[in-house]
Amino acid sequence: MTVNGGESLRLYKKALRYAETDPEVFLGTARRAAESILLDIAMQEAVGSKPTLESLLTVLAGKGLVPPKVVLAVRTIQNYGNYGSHAQNAAGEEISAEDVRPCLNALTQLAVWYGRTSTALAEDEARQGLAAVQHATSTSRIADSSLIVVKALLLGCGFEQLLAQRSHRLVQVQLPWSDHLVTDVSQRLLDLAIYNEQRVLRLREKHEEIRSQVIPIGRMGYSMGGRNFYLLAARTGRWGNTTPAEFLANPAGAQIAVPKLSDMFDNILAAFSTDEAGLRDMGVEILDVPHHLGLELFHLNKDVLAVGGQNLRMHARDNAGYFELLNSEMLPPQAQERLRSAASNVLIANHSWLAEMRAQPAELHRELMRCFHELSAEKARFEDVVKDLVTHASFPQESSLASRERLVRHVLFESYRLGEPC
């Protein structure tokens, strides 16, 4: 878990908001964001340093904790920050949005690196803790998640009660959503996990240990009912007057911002029925951005197209300045089917754990799903799940309690037809 990650992200987003409206304020905020990011990395790595940009960068770079390209980006931010301070004292000298673009690009490069580094550090820390605790008899470990779609299943399927009937205590371990979950189950660091079905099948095909030790128990539904793909555009940008049919016929020149190492990028490939090389042949450029970047992305480039999670989607629906240029329902039937298949999640279990539990996969799956779908008839229990999700799932920092609850109810209905449509 990052120590200072929330503040770093806040400053980064604040800087983006000022990039066009007040470039001088942007430069100062960009420098503060860079300092906050480096301080967070230093604290995570237990590196001592004065809390200044120069000292942090010197120490972290000297220890090889900041790669040369990122050092260059930080130096760019530092130099522009100094320029902004001097310009404020120069009579009649104004800084334009165009003047600060190199600093803006450098800040985004730093944020992308920081997002990946922080995620890797958090995952390593969680996994080391998992390996350090010896597996106890009559204890079952399941991967916990802050994703609404997955957390809802963990809360609603009655895992704890089901295992208690078999004299087992459930231990939930918070781990990032990644292929490592499947490896952890194969090595019995975990007994159970919910993960993307297609990724599980690919890993079972490639690795003998996973194939022999990881057993798919059963499908646990589809994220957003398989309709979780969209391309978000700004109405004042290049694509503001383009129809979905026109875009699909000629997407040349499109810049699509998406976290590249994600199932969201896989969805783009499925939507266009191609691979990464095919996108390049179409004239489509992929911009690898941090997974947590929201509508601030359009401060960088109004012509960009964004692909993100349901948080970003719901935020955009509350703002008349944005629209979905393309989504699942606008695509041909074959592409829709590919996207639906890519959205399915599956419960997996360790082979040895199943043997110890003397549980049949089909029976176990049936019990869990019956408990989950009974939520639709048990209003009090359903409302408890909603409250737990609003409290424990992941949301943008600036979101209100009302918007979080609305998003939770929307995702539950679209994914599992629980509750009412929002």
Side-chain angles (χ1 to χ4, degrees):
M1 189 68 66
T2 62
V3 178
N4 196 37
E7 177 65 6
S8 301
L9 178 58
R10 185 189 71 80
L11 289 170
Y12 173 52
K13 290 186 173 184
K14 180 179 179 180
L16 293 183
R17 287 195 293 271
Y18 283 114
E20 290 188 5
T21 60
D22 196 332
E24 289 185 7
V25 174
F26 161 75
L27 291 177
T29 310
R31 182 180 178 120
R32 288 171 56 205
E35 287 178 353
S36 182
I37 287 172
L38 294 184
L39 180 60
D40 189 31
I41 297 297
M43 294 177 73
Q44 290 181 63
E45 297 287 357
V47 174
S49 171
K50 294 180 180 178
T52 64
L53 187 61
E54 180 61 35
S55 297
L56 287 164
L57 184 59
T58 300
V59 173
L60 292 175
K63 291 182 176 293
L65 296 173
V66 179
K69 286 184 178 180
V70 177
V71 172
L72 181 60
V74 176
R75 288 295 184 201
T76 300
I77 297 166
Q78 183 182 37
N79 289 334
Y80 270 82
N82 293 338
Y83 167 68
S85 298
H86 296 148
Q88 289 174 10
N89 298 324
E93 184 174 2
E94 291 189 3
I95 303 175
S96 70
E98 192 59 36
D99 292 335
V100 303
R101 184 147 307 270
C103 183
L104 184 59
N105 293 337
L107 180 61
T108 299
Q109 182 182 353
L110 174 62
V112 169
W113 170 79
Y114 171 64
R116 291 174 182 158
T117 302
S118 298
T119 299
L121 286 170
E123 188 164 352
D124 287 346
E125 182 181 350
R127 194 152 279 103
Q128 287 170 10
L130 186 60
V133 179
Q134 188 173 2
H135 197 282
T137 305
S138 301
T139 296
S140 296
R141 292 174 169 177
I142 190 168
D144 197 359
S145 177
S146 61
L147 299 175
I148 297 173
V149 170
V150 178
K151 187 74 172 177
L153 291 167
L154 297 174
L155 292 170
C157 282
F159 282 98
E160 193 166 353
Q161 296 88 331
L162 180 67
L163 292 173
Q165 293 170 7
R166 292 166 168 80
S167 301
H168 265 241
R169 182 173 65 90
L170 183 68
V171 175
Q172 297 185 347
V173 184
Q174 184 76 43
L175 287 168
W177 177 265
S178 76
D179 289 356
H180 286 299
L181 293 178
V182 185
T183 305
D184 291 341
V185 173
S186 73
Q187 297 172 353
R188 200 149 184 208
L189 293 174
L190 293 170
D191 297 302
L192 297 158
I194 296 171
Y195 194 52
N196 179 269
E197 185 175 43
Q198 286 193 359
R199 296 299 300 168
V200 170
L201 295 176
R202 288 179 201 167
L203 290 168
R204 277 171 52 87
E205 288 175 3
K206 290 174 61 177
H207 304 285
E208 170 58 31
E209 181 184 15
I210 292 176
R211 185 162 55 251
S212 63
Q213 291 299 320
V214 176
I215 309 299
I217 299 297
R219 187 173 289 166
M220 306 295 282
Y222 298 83
S223 297
M224 298 302 290
R227 296 179 296 276
N228 55 339
F229 170 75
Y230 64 91
L231 282 179
L232 188 66
R235 294 193 184 279
T236 57
R238 169 180 176 175
W239 307 99
N241 296 315
T242 306
T243 67
E246 290 170 342
F247 177 75
L248 287 172
N250 182 21
Q255 293 181 311
I256 301 178
V258 61
K260 201 168 183 180
L261 297 177
S262 70
D263 54 353
M264 289 179 280
F265 178 63
D266 290 342
N267 283 345
I268 292 173
L269 300 180
F272 283 93
S273 305
T274 189
D275 55 15
E276 190 170 358
L279 286 180
R280 287 194 295 268
D281 291 341
M282 294 176 189
V284 175
E285 179 185 0
I286 296 297
L287 305 177
D288 192 2
V289 299
H291 71 281
H292 49 63
L293 194 58
L295 293 178
E296 293 83 5
L297 174 68
F298 292 96
H299 289 277
L300 297 172
N301 183 354
K302 287 188 171 63
D303 296 334
V304 78
L305 298 172
V307 178
Q310 298 310 309
N311 281 324
L312 176 61
R313 191 177 206 174
M314 293 297 286
H315 194 185
R317 287 181 179 178
D318 290 336
N319 191 316
Y322 304 95
F323 72 105
E324 291 179 15
L325 172 62
L326 197 67
N327 60 39
S328 303
E329 296 176 1
M330 301 172 186
L331 295 169
Q334 286 185 327
Q336 290 189 37
E337 185 53 39
R338 281 192 296 270
L339 286 167
R340 177 173 169 79
S341 178
S344 64
N345 298 315
V346 64
L347 176 66
I348 56 176
N350 179 274
H351 180 272
S352 300
W353 178 84
L354 276 173
E356 290 175 12
M357 297 289 287
R358 298 181 182 178
Q360 294 299 317
E363 175 190 352
L364 187 60
H365 181 252
R366 192 162 44 248
E367 287 187 59
L368 292 168
M369 295 312 294
R370 182 174 62 246
C371 181
F372 184 69
H373 289 299
E374 284 174 353
L375 279 172
S376 60
E378 300 176 7
K379 186 173 178 57
R381 189 161 72 94
F382 172 74
E383 292 300 327
D384 285 342
V385 168
V386 170
K387 289 178 184 177
D388 277 344
L389 289 171
V390 170
T391 302
H392 299 295
S394 59
F395 304 93
Q397 282 187 312
E398 65 274 13
S399 60
S400 65
L401 283 177
S403 66
R404 293 182 181 195
E405 181 175 340
R406 183 159 50 89
L407 176 57
V408 165
R409 293 185 185 277
H410 177 71
V411 171
L412 289 178
F413 181 80
E414 293 296 330
S415 298
Y416 306 118
R417 285 301 184 261
L418 291 172
E420 301 293 332
C422 294

